[in-house]
Amino acid sequence: MSRSASPSTSPSPTSSVRTSPPHPGSTKWPWFLLADVVLVTIFAALGRNAHEQSPWGALETAWPFLVGALVGWAIIRAHRRPAALFPTGVVVWLSAEVIGMLLRMVTGQGTALAFVLVSLGVLGLFLLGYRLIVLLSSRVRRTR
């Protein structure tokens, strides 16, 4: 004897089941993407200024890292949890660094070890730092 589910217990094909509430910040992903782009560009402008080059050419320095960050956004689907320190922030940061350096190498731009280390640190501070601030501030707001 076979049993068939009653219409009241079977899910409709058009119903969507949400297993958890959306992650804080998931509706604000464009702001997080903008912040990543701005911070990578600021990193490039600061670096150019430190080497007495015009900061106005920052996009020339920034583009490989911007491409890397955008690839990281796509890989991790950052729009789902843009505020997450891990995995979103870490993947975006490391993608910006690794892909950025590979693109700099391919295009004949500098990849000296000192630059690699400085960019790794500064991009990490920028791309993870603001996410950490968002995380901590949201926890403080929840406890009040």
Side-chain angles (χ1 to χ4, degrees):
M1 180 178 258
S2 72
R3 247 186 193 182
S4 59
S6 70
S8 62
T9 60
S10 65
S12 84
T14 59
S15 70
S16 65
V17 178
R18 184 179 296 269
T19 57
S20 64
H23 190 275
S26 63
T27 60
K28 298 178 182 176
W29 69 264
W31 293 109
F32 285 89
L33 177 59
L34 179 63
D36 286 347
V37 168
V38 167
L39 289 169
V40 168
T41 306
I42 289 172
F43 151 73
L46 290 172
R48 290 180 63 88
N49 191 48
H51 291 282
E52 298 178 3
Q53 296 173 330
S54 169
W56 298 112
L59 287 179
E60 182 182 337
T61 303
W63 78 263
F65 300 102
L66 290 170
V67 168
L70 294 175
V71 168
W73 264 78
I75 289 170
I76 198 67
R77 298 182 198 164
H79 67 281
R80 292 181 175 178
R81 297 185 64 204
L85 192 59
F86 185 84
T88 305
V90 171
V91 170
V92 170
W93 164 47
L94 294 178
S95 295
E97 179 68 21
V98 172
I99 294 169
M101 285 300 167
L102 288 172
L103 287 172
R104 286 180 63 84
M105 194 180 327
V106 168
T107 59
Q109 297 180 42
T111 57
L113 180 60
F115 178 60
V116 172
L117 296 175
V118 168
S119 64
L120 186 65
V122 174
L123 287 173
L125 177 68
F126 283 7
L127 299 177
L128 298 177
Y130 88 92
R131 285 180 170 90
L132 182 60
I133 292 168
V134 168
L135 174 69
L136 295 174
S137 67
S138 68
R139 285 186 181 172
V140 167
R141 277 184 270 147
R142 275 187 270 153
T143 60
R144 289 185 179 185

